């Protein structure tokens, strides 16, 4: 298990702050939150850990296989 820490990028921080501020505007939350989340994903994938994150979510990667297994287990838990 590897771990790495980077200083939070200003763009990611700004995106996070805008997402948190939406809590005060519940009528806009369902409209803007998905867009802001998408922006955050793009910023994270293009940031300092982008290559590692892209590898983790790549189809066929161990991380992707584990996510599929967890999803399957959740769907078939009662069986």
């Amino acid at each position: 298990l590897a771990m790495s820490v980077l200083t939070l990028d200003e763009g990611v921080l700004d995106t996070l702050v805008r997402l948190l501020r939406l809590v005060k505007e519940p009528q806009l939350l369902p409209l803007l939150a998905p867009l802001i989340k998408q922006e955050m994903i793009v910023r994270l994938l293009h940031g300092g850990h982008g290559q590692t994150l892209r590898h983790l979510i790549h189809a066929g990667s161990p991380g992707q296989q584990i996510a599929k297994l967890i999803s399957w287990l959740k769907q078939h838990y009662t069986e």
Side-chain angles (χ1 to χ4, degrees):
L1 177 65
M3 189 170 101
S4 174
V5 178
L6 292 175
T7 302
L8 187 60
D9 176 85
E10 281 293 321
V12 174
L13 178 60
D14 177 59
T15 307
L16 179 60
V17 169
R18 285 188 285 120
L19 185 61
L20 292 172
R21 285 185 179 151
L22 276 180
V23 172
K24 295 179 183 176
E25 299 180 272
Q27 72 280 8
L28 295 177
L29 189 64
L31 301 169
L32 294 177
L35 299 172
I36 296 173
K37 288 178 187 178
Q38 184 174 4
E39 177 186 352
M40 182 167 298
I41 290 168
V42 169
R43 288 184 179 278
L44 289 170
L45 290 174
H46 286 87
H49 289 297
Q51 183 176 357
T52 303
L53 291 172
R54 286 189 299 276
H55 174 72
L56 288 172
I57 62 172
H58 185 275
S61 70
Q64 186 70 18
Q65 292 172 354
I66 291 169
K68 285 182 182 180
L69 175 62
I70 291 171
S71 176
W72 185 88
L73 288 171
K74 285 180 179 179
Q75 291 175 351
H76 298 90
Y77 176 74
T78 58
E79 296 173 16

